[in-house]
Amino acid sequence: SSGINAEYGVDDMIDEARTFLDAARLLKASGATTVHVMVTHGILSGNSPEELAECDSIDEVVVCNTTPIGDKTERCTKLKVIDVSIMVAEAIRRIHNGESMAHLYQNIRGDD
């Protein structure tokens, strides 16, 4: 069996990690080979970074830099932070100038 490759955790934020930990364990128990948590706002209160780091069922946690990250990447080596500052600034500029937001979202490249 080649297993299931599961991309999990598309959510708006992660504060306490319990829900993600439980879901990841369930996915791995069901045969998932990898589990990735992907959220916009990585609040990660309390010991959440350590809990995620210690969870064998989670392979990667991806968050945007929409909240202060501080030392969380040091506390959880699985944590990857995506810089969205340029996109947010461009969205603000477009809204201010009455320009198309659709154009912004249709022209996002992976290397941006």
Side-chain angles (χ1 to χ4, degrees):
S1 163
S2 63
I4 303 165
N5 185 16
E7 296 283 340
Y8 175 76
V10 178
D11 206 342
D12 62 336
M13 68 174 216
I14 182 172
D15 188 2
E16 296 180 2
R18 182 61 41 209
T19 303
F20 291 97
L21 297 171
D22 292 343
R25 288 183 185 115
L26 181 61
L27 286 167
K28 285 282 179 121
S30 298
T33 56
T34 60
V35 175
H36 303 268
V37 173
M38 299 176 186
V39 298
T40 304
H41 311 292
I43 298 167
L44 298 169
S45 297
N47 291 329
S48 293
E50 288 80 9
E51 292 173 354
L52 291 165
E54 294 168 5
C55 181
D56 293 334
S57 298
I58 293 178
D59 297 286
E60 181 180 48
V61 181
V62 180
V63 301
C64 299
N65 65 336
T66 57
T67 61
I69 299 300
D71 67 346
K72 293 171 185 157
T73 54
E74 295 164 13
R75 295 167 54 200
C76 178
T77 57
K78 298 176 184 181
L79 185 61
K80 178 181 178 183
V81 181
I82 297 175
D83 184 356
V84 294
S85 59
I86 293 172
M87 186 177 71
V88 171
E90 180 62 13
I92 292 169
R93 187 193 70 74
R94 287 179 171 278
I95 291 168
H96 178 76
N97 292 328
E99 297 176 20
S100 169
M101 289 296 292
H103 177 79
L104 174 66
Y105 297 119
Q106 291 168 353
N107 292 290
I108 295 174
R109 297 187 324 257
D111 59 349
D112 284 345

